[in-house]
Amino acid sequence: MKPILNIAAYLFVSLDHLPTLRSKMLEECNTRELKGTILLTGEGINLFLAGREKEMRGFLDYLRSDPRFQSLTAKESWSEQQPFKKMLIKLKAEIIRMNHPSIRPEEGRANFITSRKLQEWLDRGTDDLGRPVVMLDTRNAFEVEYGTFENALHFNIQKFTEFPEVIRTHKEKLADKTIVSFCTGGIRCEKSGLYMREIGMKHTYQLEGGILKYFEEVGTAHYQGSCFVFDQREALEPNLDSIPFEESKRKNIKVS
């Protein structure tokens, strides 16, 4: 087994006293020689970390000893080398910026679908009620270039704050479809899924755990290319091994 454990995790939960929390977490990470990035916000936590397995699992145990983080789950992959150069903990206004304060995932999630159930739908081409299924990529344009689901819809956005406006313009066109939104690890879909429901798009789901969880549970089925990740590995193949960009880049369908 490769020696470095990489984790990606997030949790929407109300947090306060962020500077104090940051200091304690940074000390724990440095003591364990972990590297990566943690975002702390009033609406929750988002983290990409890497380190030796024992130290990483020790840090996760430390986090979950706080009742606020008890339900945090992490997606795992392995690498030969440490993919991060330093340990950073940043204080932000939002885990993922959307500029819609009414969207609060902590208060209730959008409908979600598991990786294996999604594969079943994609194998068939319809959901359980016979409605056509459309995969909706909520990531930025450069991320989509690395890989995406077959025939996935995407809007060539440059930042996530553009998503609400552009999905509104396509609302009527997608009215008779079942929409499954997806992103790298699920975090953007926590907000996009709720937003689509808010504007009246009833037949919408988010892919639980995002592309990385789909790779872990399903693999290559209905997916082309790799998945961009925010560290020096750059992109992961469906077997969760890293792959150079030029080998993984794909041309994908865009909305006209």
Side-chain angles (χ1 to χ4, degrees):
M1 180 179 290
K2 297 175 182 179
I4 302 298
L5 174 58
N6 302 269
I7 67 164
Y10 70 88
L11 184 66
F12 284 97
V13 59
S14 294
L15 299 177
D16 53 15
H17 306 298
L18 297 184
T20 300
L21 191 58
R22 177 188 180 278
S23 295
K24 291 180 179 178
M25 283 190 183
L26 187 57
E27 181 180 358
E28 292 289 337
C29 288
N30 287 336
T31 297
R32 293 175 169 85
E33 298 183 337
L34 304 181
K35 294 182 180 179
T37 301
I38 297 177
L39 299 183
L40 290 175
T41 79
E43 68 175 6
I45 185 173
N46 186 25
L47 52 97
F48 293 90
L49 293 177
R52 299 283 175 177
E53 180 179 12
K54 180 180 178 181
E55 286 72 21
M56 181 65 72
R57 299 205 187 282
F59 178 71
L60 289 175
D61 289 342
Y62 157 76
L63 270 186
R64 291 169 182 144
S65 68
D66 184 327
R68 295 173 296 182
F69 302 125
Q70 201 167 40
S71 61
L72 184 139
T73 59
K75 289 169 282 294
E76 299 183 357
S77 61
W78 299 85
S79 60
E80 292 287 355
Q81 298 180 335
Q82 169 62 257
F84 298 103
K85 294 181 178 179
K86 59 181 70 174
M87 183 65 230
L88 298 173
I89 301 184
K90 303 177 181 179
L91 304 184
K92 297 283 188 178
E94 298 180 67
I95 297 180
I96 180 70
R97 186 181 173 195
M98 193 183 200
N99 293 339
H100 280 268
S102 63
I103 303 300
R104 297 180 58 84
E106 182 188 4
E107 296 176 358
R109 301 184 66 196
N111 291 342
F112 66 88
I113 183 172
T114 65
S115 298
R116 296 195 184 282
K117 187 65 175 178
L118 175 61
Q119 181 186 10
E120 179 186 318
W121 283 7
L122 294 178
D123 285 347
R124 191 169 59 231
T126 65
D127 66 11
D128 292 338
L129 299 177
R131 295 172 59 90
V133 175
V134 173
M135 298 299 295
L136 175 59
D137 198 328
T138 66
R139 298 172 300 160
N140 296 339
F142 80 92
E143 297 172 78
V144 179
E145 290 183 352
Y146 284 78
T148 191
F149 281 91
E150 296 169 356
N151 301 314
L153 194 63
H154 72 91
F155 302 125
N156 200 31
I157 61 176
Q158 304 305 306
K159 52 188 177 181
F160 187 59
T161 51
E162 298 171 13
F163 179 82
E165 181 178 356
V166 74
I167 191 63
R168 277 185 174 275
T169 66
H170 291 84
K171 175 183 172 182
E172 297 305 319
K173 187 186 300 185
L174 298 171
D176 61 341
K177 309 291 195 301
T178 289
I179 309 301
V180 179
S181 64
F182 66 94
C183 54
T184 307
I187 191 167
R188 274 171 276 200
C189 294
E190 295 280 1
K191 289 191 172 183
S192 65
L194 287 174
Y195 183 79
M196 287 189 286
R197 290 277 169 163
E198 184 179 86
I199 64 174
M201 299 177 71
K202 297 180 180 179
H203 304 287
T204 57
Y205 298 82
Q206 66 184 73
L207 174 58
E208 178 79 348
I211 298 168
L212 296 182
K213 191 67 174 177
Y214 188 88
F215 282 178
E216 182 182 330
E217 296 188 347
V218 174
T220 61
H222 305 286
Y223 193 94
Q224 295 181 335
S226 58
C227 178
F228 176 83
V229 290
F230 294 87
D231 59 54
Q232 289 181 320
R233 294 174 298 169
E234 195 160 344
L236 296 183
E237 293 181 286
N239 64 2
L240 297 177
D241 280 340
S242 59
I243 184 170
F245 171 68
E246 289 303 324
E247 294 180 26
S248 62
K249 189 173 181 180
R250 295 289 186 271
K251 298 295 184 182
N252 300 298
I253 296 173
K254 297 180 181 179
V255 170
S256 59

